[in-house]
Amino acid sequence: MPLTVVVGGFFGDCGKGKIISHLALRDKVKIVARGGVGPNAGHTVIHEGVAYRLRQIPSGFIQQGARLLIGPGVLVSPGILLEEVKLTNTRDRLGLDRQVGIIEEKHIDEDTKSAYLKKRIGTTGTGCGPAQQERAKRTLKVGQEVDVLKDFLTDVPLEINEALEKERNILLEGTQGTYLSLYHGTYPYVTSKDITASAICADVGVGPKRVDDVVVVFKAYVTRVGGGPLENELSEKEAKRKGWYEIATVTRRVRRSAPFNFDLARRAIMLNSGTKIALTKLDVVFPKDRAKTKWVELSAEARKFVARVEEEIKTPVAFIGTGPGSHQIIDRTIV
Ligand code: IMP
Ligand code: MG
């Protein structure tokens, strides 16, 4: 803090929503701004017994009064956004940049009907790729051309940079994970944009010198949905046996899974200049560590795994997720 960027380390679905909600509450942030691609992401926040599955509204919304911003680099599906505004009751504190890209029905059609995108790449079918394509052609609609969004429009880079001048705590929320980056991922099995920390900053109009902390979120095992390579991939049977079998938030597809990949993690820290690691779902790998909130309470096996991550990746594991709730976390930065 004041400016922390949170990004995913592997292939998305790493529990960013949970880490962001913890940081938003802990630091009483003034702004949570969303970078990344768009509604292809699904971030889960579980707070006070209620589960929110968000695709557009920043996961830090649970911090009461925090301003919620969506940067000009992000794509918006107006229907999904308005539904989430209702669900989260955040109409009075949400701001959209005038130049957010707009996903229309035709983009969704193209994404779901194209054999290449849907079958070979295995996209989420949410229209993000085709909308990005149009943006590159300079024909995509932007926020200020859409009547139902007019009450939310603002200058997101200006709001964020003015708040930084006042040393306000700000969180930038990324989407997906490093190896789904258009440039740094497993091309062509990637999303339609770069989504590393630098790209998230560019999406909301913040320059590199402003960033204080980059938290890279890794799940304690690796999952990916859609096509593309996955080293040491488990069979569905083995994934079920280990409890790593998951269904995707947005597409309801089965997530493929594999053990934690130290080489990918090391490179993800390099690509994002990560300063801290958040290691999530440790309780899925070590079930007896469920809901622990103190380092000293963790089992010896779990602590050994965390120590190995730190040693091999040369970056501190600052946060450890031990369950889905926003408070089921070990925060090692609090002493
Ligand atoms: P697209 O982003 O919908 O074009 O999909 C491209 C690739 O990225 C596919 O393999 C998707 O499954 C993957 N992908 C996109 N968004 C997410 C996400 O939020 N979590 C996990 N995978 C994603
Ligand atoms: Mg997800």
Side-chain angles (χ1 to χ4, degrees):
M1 291 285 162
L3 183 67
T4 299
V5 186
V6 181
V7 293
F10 293 134
F11 301 94
D13 306 313
C14 50
K16 273 186 297 295
K18 179 207 165 74
I19 298 300
I20 290 159
S21 54
H22 167 71
L23 292 175
L25 294 172
R26 186 196 73 176
D27 296 321
K28 301 186 173 53
V29 295
K30 290 290 186 276
I31 294 178
V32 190
R34 177 85 145 60
V37 187
N40 52 352
H43 294 173
T44 305
V45 175
I46 301 179
H47 187 58
E48 290 169 355
V50 186
Y52 303 88
R53 287 185 183 81
L54 303 173
R55 295 165 60 185
Q56 302 261 226
I57 300 276
S59 305
F61 84 93
I62 58 173
Q63 170 58 24
Q64 287 307 317
R67 178 88 165 129
L68 307 172
L69 298 174
I70 300 182
V74 179
L75 294 167
V76 167
S77 256
I80 297 173
L81 180 89
L82 294 173
E83 246 174 62
E84 290 184 6
V85 166
K86 232 192 272 166
L87 176 79
T88 55
N89 193 19
T90 49
R91 176 166 281 277
D92 56 336
R93 55 193 177 105
L94 174 68
L96 298 185
D97 194 85
R98 297 180 188 97
Q99 301 211 99
V100 292
I102 300 298
I103 297 177
E104 295 181 80
E105 222 33 63
K106 62 181 176 184
H107 303 121
I108 297 171
D109 272 357
E110 191 183 335
D111 206 1
T112 49
K113 286 179 188 144
S114 146
Y116 181 74
L117 290 176
K118 193 64 204 171
K119 298 227 168 63
R120 171 121 193 270
I121 305 299
T123 71
T124 60
T126 50
C128 290
Q132 283 297 112
Q133 227 174 301
E134 258 216 70
R135 195 164 213 179
K137 288 194 287 192
R138 269 56 56 85
T139 53
L140 186 69
K141 252 191 207 168
V142 295
Q144 62 196 0
E145 296 168 72
V146 180
D147 199 51
V148 291
L149 300 180
K150 69 174 188 306
D151 292 347
F152 301 107
L153 299 180
T154 185
D155 182 337
V156 166
L158 185 68
E159 280 202 40
I160 296 179
N161 283 282
E162 281 183 352
L164 283 171
E165 286 298 327
K166 294 181 192 146
E167 303 208 355
R168 300 274 197 258
N169 285 343
I170 295 177
L171 270 175
L172 300 188
E173 171 172 351
T175 59
Q176 287 85 30
T178 302
Y179 296 99
L180 290 177
S181 160
L182 181 61
Y183 303 149
H184 303 291
T186 54
Y187 188 86
Y189 301 100
V190 292
T191 190
S192 50
K193 267 179 68 179
D194 182 23
I195 33 77
T196 56
S198 319
I200 302 306
C201 292
D203 286 342
V204 303
V206 167
K209 284 175 71 179
R210 287 290 196 183
V211 178
D212 298 287
D213 251 330
V214 177
V215 177
V216 183
V217 186
F218 298 106
K219 195 150 64 178
Y221 48 100
V222 183
T223 60
R224 94 174 283 175
V225 283
L230 181 60
E231 218 184 309
N232 302 320
E233 183 170 355
L234 302 185
S235 67
E236 200 169 299
K237 194 168 152 220
E238 183 67 358
K240 280 187 175 150
R241 198 185 62 77
K242 284 184 177 292
W244 298 359
Y245 181 85
E246 298 176 359
I247 304 289
T249 321
V250 175
T251 56
R252 315 309 298 169
R253 290 181 292 184
V254 173
R255 290 185 185 146
R256 303 156 58 199
S257 62
F260 191 90
N261 187 319
F262 289 90
D263 293 330
L264 288 185
R266 205 174 294 114
R267 189 174 171 85
I269 291 292
M270 175 187 87
L271 292 168
N272 292 290
S273 52
T275 56
K276 292 187 173 92
I277 291 172
L279 194 61
T280 59
K281 296 212 182 186
L282 196 72
D283 57 299
V284 176
V285 177
F286 305 101
K288 65 175 173 244
D289 292 301
R290 179 100 193 199
K292 301 269 173 77
T293 54
K294 293 194 176 67
W295 171 254
V296 292
E297 293 168 354
L298 279 184
S299 65
E301 300 96 292
R303 275 190 274 170
K304 200 169 145 201
F305 176 64
V306 174
R308 182 169 170 217
V309 170
E310 291 191 319
E311 195 180 299
E312 293 218 17
I313 303 170
K314 306 268 178 283
T315 307
V317 173
F319 312 102
I320 300 169
T322 56
S326 55
H327 298 297
Q328 291 173 323
I329 192 166
I330 297 169
D331 185 334
R332 297 171 81 201
T333 67
I334 300 173
V335 276

